[in-house]
Amino acid sequence: MTTPRERIPVGILGATGLVGQRLLRALEGHPWFRIAALAASSRSTGRTYGEATRWVLPGSIPSAAATLEVRPCEPGALEGCRVVVSSLGSDVARGVEGAFADAGFAVVSNSSAFRQDPDVPLVIPEVNPDHLGAIAAQRSSGRPGFVVTNPNCSVTGLALVLAPLHRAFGVRRVVVTTLQAVSGAGLEGPSGLDMLDNVLPYIAGEEDKIERELVKILGQRDGDSSIRPASIAVAAHCHRVGTLDGHLEAVSVELERTVTPEEAVATLRGFRGAVADLRLPSSPVAPIEVRTEPDRPQPRLDRDAGGGMTAVVGRVRPCPVFSLRLELLSHNTIRGAAGAALLNLELLAARGELPAE
């Protein structure tokens, strides 16, 4: 493990959005990193961050960031750092993030733009840190920098919970129904009026992301440059509901052998992940918490477990169709977005993968 001797300067792309705000808050006072630059769209550039941002998190904008000038999302505009964390929308992320990687930056992305590229790691540190080996393929292609991604906000909690079950018992098939918070749609998502007395049974692209990303995360490295997806059939049904934060998921899973709920719970509670010994600053003590009450987890009560980085599981019971069924909850803008990207950044720093200044 490599611990930075000095705090590494980091830029945030898409800094004015909801995930960008979460990233800024998480990086404030971080022991390994410091905010060196904030970048956003042309609507915000040239203004101070305090002027350009509609701050929606509790408390005030960190004073050190409020006076920083918002820069364009261009490599030449981010002097003073070679590492960026991106919360850009998928419509612009591929071009912008690719330009930064081509200019020698390490790009840690929360966007979906590169997640399915065969040489781009899609990483949850506790689950598949070895997938970072795919960075070598990006470098061998002549790209001076690289891109590493974290999963979709619904996939993160699902993969975190299924990984120990897959390793212990083998997962064959998964059916998941998500009840996703409005914050998952960002600042431009549905209004309160849209969600009052309502559930939206469609989130564009979400079901496909769950079905494709889960098998890549739970897959195995096949040489240095590619990931062989896991042979798991996945069906997803996604809904937007009127909770503020926290994605609740009802999961039925077919395993390769008969397993009691008690065995599954013991496996989940014993899971510490592949990087526990690194003591990454954002890593929770327990990646998974299991509740035994019949009505938990609940978003309002359980989304902040482990500082928002712990997935909470409940109602583990037999399934009359598959092997087991359970409920899981994860904080979508922390564990599923900003916190996931920051944890990947910490893992890269610990492995000495970040470029020298």
Side-chain angles (χ1 to χ4, degrees), residues 239-261:
H239 307 75
R240 185 76 67 200
V241 298
T243 49
L244 179 59
D245 288 309
H247 287 356
L248 186 66
E249 305 181 29
V251 184
S252 288
V253 55
E254 181 183 65
L255 303 172
E256 292 178 358
R257 67 178 181 86
T258 302
V259 175
T260 67

Side-chain angles (χ1 to χ4, degrees), residues 308-320:
M309 293 294 286
T310 292
V312 182
V313 174
R315 305 199 67 212
V316 182
R317 59 209 192 278
C319 178

Side-chain angles (χ1 to χ4, degrees), residues 170-238:
V171 172
R172 286 178 174 167
R173 293 189 290 176
V174 178
V175 176
V176 55
T177 297
T178 69
L179 307 173
Q180 298 181 217
V182 292
S183 59
L187 296 178
E188 305 304 322
S191 69
L193 187 60
D194 292 328
M195 298 310 306
L196 185 64
D197 190 33
N198 202 19
V199 173
L200 302 180
Y202 172 72
I203 305 173
E206 199 78 359
E207 292 164 354
D208 180 64
K209 290 174 185 175
I210 292 174
E211 293 166 5
R212 297 177 68 199
E213 292 178 22
L214 180 66
V215 295
K216 181 174 180 179
I217 294 163
L218 298 182
Q220 301 294 319
R221 281 183 61 201
D222 189 6
D224 289 335
S225 61
S226 63
I227 306 298
R228 179 164 39 88
S231 298
I232 300 173
V234 185
H237 310 267
C238 295

Side-chain angles (χ1 to χ4, degrees), residues 8-39:
I8 298 169
V10 175
I12 300 176
L13 307 180
T16 58
L18 179 56
V19 175
Q21 293 178 31
R22 287 280 188 193
L23 281 166
L24 191 151
R25 175 64 61 77
L27 284 166
E28 182 187 17
H30 194 283
W32 293 3
F33 309 115
R34 62 178 177 84
I35 299 169
L38 302 175

